[in-house]
Amino acid sequence: MTFKILSCDGGGIRGLITALLIQDLDRRSGIIAKADGFAGTSTGGLIALGLARGVSIAEIVDVYKTKGSEIFQENKAWTEQKEALENRVALAGPGLFACQYVSTGLEKVARELVGDGNLASLSRFVVVNSARLWDAAARSWVPSAISNAKSNAYRNISLIDAALATSAAPAYFPPHEIAELGYFADGGVFANNPSVTAISEALASGLPDSQGNLRMLSLGTGMSPQGIPPSAIGDPLGWGVSKWLWPWASGSVPARALFSLTLDTTSMLAAQQSEQILGGDYRRGNFVLGQPIGLDDWKKVAEMENETNVYMKSQEWQGVCQWVEQNWQ
């Protein structure tokens, strides 16, 4: 029997794109009820945990459409910093000397989605990524696949801890502390696309009886149309912190280039690796956005919805829908 996992990328408020794609596929093929497991990173982790708990996709879509201002509540220290720098940071996104947002609103919305239970209480498999900032045994920070698989070290943590650990985007939100385990940061720093993590965790846990019986549908949050053209490099020796982490765009170099590069390329690499591992049993749905949309650009939900509707009329999306019809039974 096949074991089917729905995998959801990170991307902040762009999780609306993933949720809309899931909603379309669920109307067509009932993919949520047929899924055996869910995987997610960051905002995708919130979606995965919500779906595993039985929250309707309509409710999840509504969260992204209506709760952006509640999720992204500015940190007072960041506001003071912004004013001190004559509002330049306001154009740039996450804080230089303080995280841009408090986690109060994020926690409230996340709790509405995932409730007060723990991971082990969920009946379907779920895995989310997070970076543990200190592991005493390893004497280092470590990547963490947080799942409800029987052998997983984190299976008894609360759903809200899992949700906040996977979505604590560095410089946007503060690191999240889990009692007795320490602090965690957003899993997007190493696996913004959780496909490979989910494949590994599912196989290691013996959930599909063989790799040949594993199916995965991976959905992105839209790719920003950005990169660094050769003409923008200038002197390569000049590419230090001030170039890679400059907090606002400079010419054709995007703001926080290293951060965006990490998120985008880890997502692309995971898709390539998953396809190499699973072949035709892996399918990816994603598209290039018409404009850059930041993780916290909640005022652009209408633009995201419009772009997603256009993508859902494309031949590429019809191919994804056909794959689901043939492989998601």
Side-chain angles (χ1 to χ4, degrees), residues 165-200:
T166 191
S167 57
Y172 286 93
F173 290 103
H176 177 67
E177 184 178 15
I178 300 179
E180 301 181 4
L181 295 175
Y183 286 92
F184 292 74
D186 194 308
V189 298
F190 67 91
N192 202 48
N193 174 345
S195 295
V196 175
T197 301
I199 291 169
S200 175

Side-chain angles (χ1 to χ4, degrees), residues 2-328:
T2 60
F3 190 87
K4 301 171 291 297
I5 300 175
L6 177 57
S7 176
C8 308
D9 281 18
I13 197 64
R14 297 203 317 261
L16 172 63
I17 293 170
T18 307
L20 289 170
L21 295 177
I22 294 171
Q23 187 174 53
D24 185 60
L25 286 170
D26 202 51
R27 287 170 179 160
R28 295 169 182 254
S29 306
I31 63 164
I32 296 173
K34 296 175 183 177
D36 299 295
F38 304 92
T41 295
S42 194
T43 195
L46 298 180
I47 294 173
L49 291 166
L51 292 176
R53 182 174 169 258
V55 177
S56 73
I57 189 59
E59 184 176 342
I60 294 173
V61 167
D62 185 66
V63 165
Y64 286 103
K65 285 186 176 182
T66 65
K67 300 285 182 75
S69 61
E70 184 175 346
I71 293 170
F72 297 103
Q73 294 182 25
E74 288 185 0
N75 177 12
K76 181 180 178 182
W78 177 86
T79 304
E80 292 171 350
Q81 166 203 138
K82 176 181 68 174
E83 293 169 352
L85 293 176
E86 298 178 342
N87 293 319
R88 293 187 74 186
V89 179
L91 304 175
L96 291 173
F97 308 112
C99 57
Q100 186 170 355
Y101 303 107
V102 295
S103 58
T104 310
L106 173 62
E107 180 174 355
K108 180 177 181 295
V109 172
R111 195 177 294 277
E112 291 171 359
L113 284 177
V114 305
D116 295 314
N118 61 23
L119 278 171
S121 68
L122 298 177
S123 60
R124 286 191 281 182
F125 172 70
V126 65
V127 55
V128 299
N129 290 315
S130 186
R132 189 174 180 181
L133 299 185
W134 177 253
D135 181 281
R139 297 188 60 79
S140 176
W141 44 34
V142 293
S144 299
I146 297 173
S147 91
N148 59 349
K150 291 182 179 179
S151 60
N152 191 275
Y154 301 102
R155 71 184 310 263
N156 289 312
I157 71 170
S158 69
L159 291 168
I160 189 62
D161 275 334
L164 294 176
T166 191
S167 57
Y172 286 93
F173 290 103
H176 177 67
E177 184 178 15
I178 300 179
E180 301 181 4
L181 295 175
Y183 286 92
F184 292 74
D186 194 308
V189 298
F190 67 91
N192 202 48
N193 174 345
S195 295
V196 175
T197 301
I199 291 169
S200 175
E201 186 74 2
L203 290 174
S205 303
L207 293 173
D209 55 18
S210 70
Q211 182 176 307
N213 283 332
L214 180 60
R215 305 285 184 274
M216 179 171 288
L217 174 64
S218 170
L219 299 175
T221 59
M223 296 175 290
S224 289
Q226 61 186 17
I228 305 173
S231 60
I233 296 295
D235 178 10
L237 292 176
W239 278 73
V241 170
S242 65
K243 287 285 189 180
W244 281 112
L245 296 175
W246 198 245
W248 48 85
S250 177
S252 53
V253 178
R256 307 173 309 282
L258 181 59
F259 185 73
S260 297
L261 176 69
T262 299
L263 294 182
D264 288 347
T265 55
T266 59
S267 289
M268 295 173 186
L269 179 60
Q272 293 171 7
Q273 292 173 330
S274 298
E275 190 167 0
Q276 289 171 337
I277 295 167
L278 296 181
D281 293 332
Y282 177 84
R283 189 66 190 230
R284 176 79 167 158
N286 203 14
F287 63 94
V288 177
L289 296 163
Q291 61 177 308
I293 297 177
L295 305 184
D296 55 349
D297 274 350
W298 57 269
K299 292 181 181 179
K300 293 184 178 178
V301 294
E303 290 94 325
M304 283 185 273
E305 185 170 15
N306 290 337
E307 290 206 46
T308 306
N309 287 334
V310 170
Y311 173 65
M312 289 191 295
K313 295 175 183 176
S314 70
Q315 283 296 112
E316 180 182 337
W317 183 244
Q318 297 313 308
V320 172
C321 296
Q322 290 170 11
W323 182 90
V324 169
E325 284 293 325
Q326 295 166 5
N327 293 277
W328 207 264

